[in-house]
């Protein structure tokens, strides 16, 4: 059983952003595939899962999934983060939560110095991906820190709002449908490897 626990919390983790509901279910599948490809379990070790503070289900889902691939998670494996905007919240009412989420993202990314951030579209991921890009640009984060966005399986012909916002900043944007890949065939960041789900 491989543990993600580390005695030195400054070791560069790999961040995986969990949404809620369908986003988390998809990320469980993606994480399993990722770790199965990492035979010695070292490339993405330690793992840290970013979960919105009001998300009550993602932790148990990812913990169960990771146990199946021999990864034991503990308290250091989870980082609870503020949401920039709740579903259905008006733009006006989300201004201050968004500012707070961005400041929190800048702080946590600078503190942990992650080697990668992997997400699949929940709005929670946007401030953290932008924070990685900002710190890389200002040379406070290694340039080889990667931002990887895997578009949701349900996005067949159009990108999600999160993907549209983050497309200029990511290193890799994986789409899961050939029609979507065709639309962005001239963007070298957009890749289609076939359906992942």
């Amino acid at each position: 059983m491989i543990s993600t626990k580390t005695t030195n919390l400054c070791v560069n983790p790999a961040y995986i952003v969990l949404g809620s509901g369908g986003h988390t279910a998809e990320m469980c599948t993606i994480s399993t595939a990722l770790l199965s490809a990492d035979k010695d379990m070292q490339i993405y070790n330690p793992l840290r899962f970013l979960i919105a503070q009001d998300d009550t289900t993602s932790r148990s889902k990812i913990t169960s999934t990771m146990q199946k691939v021999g990864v034991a998670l503990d308290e250091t494996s989870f980082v609870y983060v503020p949401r920039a905007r709740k579903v259905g919240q008006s733009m006006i009412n989300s201004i201050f939560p968004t500012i707070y989420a961005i400041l929190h993202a800048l702080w946590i990314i600078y503190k942990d110095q992650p080697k990668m951030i992997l997400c699949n579209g929940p709005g929670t991921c946007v401030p953290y991906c932008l924070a990685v890009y900002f710190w890389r640009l200002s040379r406070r984060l290694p340039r080889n820190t990667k931002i990887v966005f895997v578009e949701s399986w349900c996005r067949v012909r159009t990108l999600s709002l999160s993907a549209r916002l983050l497309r200029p900043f990511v290193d890799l944007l994986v789409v899961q449908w050939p029609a979507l890949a065709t639309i962005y065939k001239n963007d070298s960041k957009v890749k289609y490897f076939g359906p992942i789900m």
Side-chain angles (χ1 to χ4, degrees):
M1 194 84 134
I2 303 295
S3 173
T4 64
K5 187 173 184 180
T6 176
T7 53
N8 180 4
L9 293 180
C10 293
V11 173
N12 305 88
Y15 273 176
I16 297 178
V17 182
L18 301 179
S20 53
H23 285 297
T24 292
E26 286 187 11
M27 191 52 81
C28 285
T29 302
I30 294 165
S31 299
T32 300
L34 189 72
L35 293 177
S36 296
D38 182 14
K39 299 303 181 190
D40 61 2
M41 298 280 193
Q42 291 304 311
I43 298 172
Y44 305 107
N45 192 36
L47 289 175
R48 291 251 167 79
F49 294 93
L50 299 184
I51 302 175
Q53 291 168 339
D54 58 352
D55 184 343
T56 58
T57 60
S58 291
R59 178 170 175 158
S60 61
K61 286 181 183 176
I62 199 68
T63 299
S64 174
T65 299
M66 291 295 99
Q67 285 174 344
K68 293 174 185 173
V69 291
V71 175
L73 304 179
D74 63 19
E75 287 303 317
T76 66
S77 306
F78 301 97
V79 179
Y80 291 93
V81 300
R83 284 190 196 270
R85 181 173 177 258
K86 294 182 180 179
V87 176
Q89 187 176 18
S90 72
M91 296 301 250
I92 294 292
N93 289 336
S94 65
I95 292 172
F96 290 111
T98 298
I99 292 170
Y100 177 65
I102 290 169
L103 292 173
H104 185 273
L106 288 167
W107 172 75
I108 200 85
I109 295 295
Y110 184 79
K111 178 177 74 77
D112 275 4
Q113 299 277 301
K115 56 190 157 196
M116 178 186 77
I117 185 163
L118 173 66
C119 56
N120 67 332
T124 306
C125 74
V126 174
Y128 296 87
C129 291
L130 293 177
V132 168
Y133 185 82
F134 172 79
W135 288 126
R136 272 193 334 201
L137 204 61
S138 59
R139 299 186 179 181
R140 302 291 183 185
L141 196 65
R143 301 227 25 113
N144 61 353
T145 297
K146 300 299 179 195
I147 305 169
V148 179
F149 190 107
V150 180
E151 184 59 285
S152 175
W153 181 81
C154 67
R155 305 304 301 203
V156 179
R157 297 187 180 278
T158 59
L159 292 176
S160 62
L161 176 59
S162 297
R164 292 197 308 271
L165 288 171
L166 292 175
R167 190 173 140 225
F169 308 103
V170 300
D171 298 292
L172 177 64
L173 198 164
V174 179
V175 296
Q176 299 190 57
W177 291 94
L180 197 49
T182 301
I183 293 170
Y184 294 97
K185 63 184 177 184
N186 295 324
D187 187 335
S188 61
K189 295 178 182 178
V190 179
K191 302 291 182 188
Y192 170 69
F193 302 112
I196 298 171
M197 298 298 125

